[in-house]
Amino acid sequence: MIAVRLFAAAAEAVGADELSVDAASVADLRAALGATGEDAERVVGQCAMLRGGDRLDDSAELASGDVVDVLPPFAGG
């Protein structure tokens, strides 16, 4: 299982701040999260996925025990 921490709009769209998800890749994780809520697929599709502070692309493999942070785009001023 992958521990997933969701922030801001991602947490709101999925309906949770933390989840455990069975996923072999980031693409699998996006699909699982996208199925959790009405707007989740659109929001999660725009989010950065990070493991240990490193950004992951959709082809990145995940292993049991990984912690992935899901961060939506942020605007700054």
Side-chain angles (χ1 to χ4, degrees):
M1 292 298 252
I2 308 303
V4 183
R5 300 185 301 188
L6 300 112
F7 298 90
E12 186 175 322
V14 171
D17 293 333
E18 295 184 11
L19 295 170
S20 293
V21 178
D22 188 20
S25 69
V26 172
D28 294 342
L29 179 58
R30 279 191 199 279
L33 294 175
T36 60
E38 184 176 314
D39 203 29
E41 183 176 11
R42 181 186 65 78
V43 173
V44 170
Q46 298 174 8
C47 290
M49 304 282 184
L50 293 93
R51 176 179 50 205
D54 294 326
R55 190 172 182 142
L56 303 169
D57 63 28
D58 284 357
S59 65
E61 293 182 8
L62 300 173
S64 183
D66 281 349
V67 177
V68 176
D69 294 326
V70 181
L71 300 171
F74 293 97

